[in-house]
Amino acid sequence: MGEPRGGACGAVVSLMDDYYNTYKKVGDMFKEYGVTGDIRRIASEFPLRCLDEKCPYDGSRLVKRMPARSMSDRFLPKCPVCGHQPDLDDCPCRGCQEKRGQDRADKQAVIRTYYTNVMPRVKARYQWLPTAEKVYLAAMVCLMRWKGLTVVGDALRVLTPSEIFTRQIVNTFIDKRVLVVDPNSPVDAFKDEDFPKKYNLFGVNYRLNLEGFENHEDLFDDADWLAIRSDREACLEIWQKLVFYDCFEKVFPFIGAGIDQTDLDQAKEVVGELINQYPVEQAKTILNAAGIEVVMTFWKNDDKSDKEILEFFLNEIKKRMTGEVKMEWSRIALSGPAESTLSDVFRDEILPFDVDFEEAIPSLELLGN
């Protein structure tokens, strides 16, 4: 913006006063004060406003750009020397970067000290674990990204077909001290509330705390798969859980905030009946078809409660189970098997080679002798 006629600071002040406190047109003000420039960008040419607040790093008074009179004051205070912006959580100035780095280092030290001190002195005994947990461990070691006894928490997301099932397994191993939090886990995994005791289950890293094992490869290779397969009841339970949670994932889109425990139990009961009557491939096809029916029925109707929508969904499943609604298997796209390391281990090490995981209903007979 060209300098106001006379070049006096008072002229600039008068121009700004007219701009913010009158209804004069900007073009008329330009003529009156003899300035030139882009009418649309006049506010950006005004002097920065000096604030009383000072920069914590160099003591300079913060400044702030003047807003256009037609807009709210969206500009943030800023240090004219180092660029510090106190209203930004992720301020990019050097001082804030160094402070955040030191804060992370301090937190990392607290985490390392705490979890080193609570590391159990006695290791869990592998041979005392139930059959199912031995299989879960075998699948878990397949997710370890380096040699040793450490597993990256984020890798556990594909341990089973469902986060619910995976959480059950991980929490059981934590309770039994089979898994312990690695003291070198990343800072971001820990919550500010009750720091450092609370953490994201899939954010921390874990160490296997098992007696007699120095390397996770030994644990998988030394597993007595013949003894595991001979515990047919335990193997059936694993198979049923894999199928159930794979199917139950299809129910989650229809579980809203208004669903209570009774509704949830009803949904679990329906899915349980479904997988007892149909192989997982067909069960998931029925769930998909019922889900499509819900979407087609309610996509323009948003006044239904979460409870009504879930009830409709479960009824649609039942109609297909009883034959009230005929299934046309070839017309419905199947979702395919969910990514699950435990499912892969179960197929390869436990399920007889002539039994198809996707096309069979779990039973003791199919597990063989």
Side-chain angles (χ1 to χ4, degrees), residues 54-83:
K54 293 183 178 181
C55 175
Y57 302 117
D58 55 43
S60 303
R61 290 180 66 179
L62 303 183
V63 296
K64 194 174 183 182
R65 282 182 59 184
M66 299 297 292
R69 65 181 178 183
S70 60
M71 300 176 61
S72 60
D73 187 358
R74 59 186 176 85
F75 297 113
L76 301 177
K78 187 174 184 178
C79 175
V81 177
C82 71

Side-chain angles (χ1 to χ4, degrees), residues 1 11-27 29-30 32-33 38-46 66-71:
M1 180 173 69
V12 175
V13 173
S14 297
L15 173 58
M16 292 175 64
D17 183 60
D18 282 350
Y19 179 74
Y20 287 109
N21 299 313
T22 73
Y23 293 100
K24 290 182 180 180
K25 294 180 179 180
V26 176
M29 285 188 282
F30 269 43
E32 180 180 347
Y33 291 96
D38 188 346
I39 291 177
R40 296 167 300 179
R41 294 177 53 81
I42 181 173
S44 66
E45 301 289 345
F46 289 151
M66 299 297 292
R69 65 181 178 183
S70 60
M71 300 176 61

Side-chain angles (χ1 to χ4, degrees), residues 74-142:
R74 59 186 176 85
F75 297 113
L76 301 177
K78 187 174 184 178
C79 175
V81 177
C82 71
H84 173 62
Q85 294 177 273
D87 292 343
L88 282 183
D89 291 336
D90 56 347
C91 173
C93 80
R94 181 176 179 179
C96 283
Q97 289 186 42
E98 291 177 352
K99 184 176 184 299
R100 286 195 295 269
Q102 187 59 53
D103 289 345
R104 289 181 66 87
D106 292 344
K107 283 187 173 182
Q108 191 74 69
V110 172
I111 293 166
R112 189 175 293 115
T113 300
Y114 178 81
Y115 284 99
T116 298
N117 289 338
V118 300
M119 192 72 66
R121 297 181 181 180
V122 178
K123 293 188 176 183
R125 294 190 177 183
Y126 175 80
Q127 60 268 29
W128 287 359
L129 296 178
T131 299
E133 291 175 16
K134 290 178 179 179
V135 179
Y136 300 156
L137 267 179
M140 190 174 290
V141 299
C142 294

